[in-house]
Amino acid sequence: AWRPITMKHFYMIAILLTLMGCERYQVTLNDREIYTPPALFSDYEITDPGLASCVSQSIYDQSITRAEQLGTLNCSYAGIQSLDGLKRFTSLQTLNLADNKLKDIKTLLFFGQLQQVDLRGNNFIACQDVETLAELVSIKLHRPENCQS
């Protein structure tokens, strides 16, 4: 038989729902720690300020706690000139680097899981490197305008 929800049950449900909404925050009760979220991933070093800012924001937005959790990176219009340090994120599958200032994309040749890459608006990239990358990208590569085939 169905029983009505008691106030005790109501309070427990309310507390659980509140805790679920606080997944990024430490929760304490009477100065005792109830929940501490896992620390966001920070064991990487990227020298390009635009790329560093994009990666940092993506880690925060996606609550990334390990490098291999970062699968999507949208860094268009970020003024990125260098991909140095990106190798740390080996599980990238979708990468939007459109409309940056890239010249060298050899770093991307070491990513084995790339499915979609957007390089439009980066017209100083060597077309030979773009063609090599095209062999590795499994779904779609948006080439720079000067490398359209």
Side-chain angles (χ1 to χ4, degrees):
W2 184 81
R3 291 188 282 172
I5 296 177
T6 65
M7 285 304 278
K8 180 180 176 182
H9 290 115
F10 176 77
Y11 286 129
M12 291 299 289
I13 291 170
I15 288 171
L16 286 173
L17 289 174
T18 301
L19 289 176
M20 287 181 1
C22 298
E23 66 182 28
R24 291 189 182 187
Y25 304 99
Q26 180 179 17
V27 180
T28 60
L29 178 65
N30 294 331
D31 294 328
R32 296 193 70 171
E33 186 177 305
I34 296 174
Y35 173 75
T36 300
L40 294 179
F41 183 73
S42 62
D43 186 20
Y44 64 95
E45 189 173 323
I46 294 176
T47 55
D48 186 283
L51 184 59
S53 177
C54 178
V55 168
S56 175
Q57 187 65 50
S58 295
I59 287 172
Y60 178 79
D61 291 345
Q62 299 174 44
S63 301
I64 302 297
T65 58
R66 297 184 331 268
E68 53 276 358
Q69 291 176 319
L70 187 62
T72 299
L73 202 52
N74 183 359
C75 298
S76 60
Y77 296 96
I80 298 169
Q81 296 179 18
S82 170
L83 298 176
D84 291 345
L86 196 60
K87 281 185 187 177
R88 184 75 172 94
F89 302 96
T90 56
S91 297
L92 281 171
Q93 297 174 350
T94 302
L95 186 56
N96 183 352
L97 295 168
D99 296 295
N100 281 289
K101 300 174 183 176
L102 291 170
K103 294 179 183 171
D104 182 4
I105 60 165
K106 287 182 177 63
T107 297
L108 300 181
L109 302 178
F110 295 95
F111 290 88
Q113 298 182 35
L114 285 175
Q115 296 176 0
Q116 297 182 40
V117 178
D118 192 341
L119 296 172
R120 291 176 288 194
N122 290 285
N123 292 325
F124 298 106
I125 297 172
C127 293
Q128 181 179 356
D129 291 343
V130 174
E131 292 310 313
T132 303
L133 182 62
E135 296 173 15
L136 303 173
V137 174
S138 63
I139 296 176
K140 181 68 176 169
L141 172 64
H142 295 283
R143 293 170 168 80
E145 289 74 9
N146 63 314
C147 297
Q148 298 290 334
S149 52

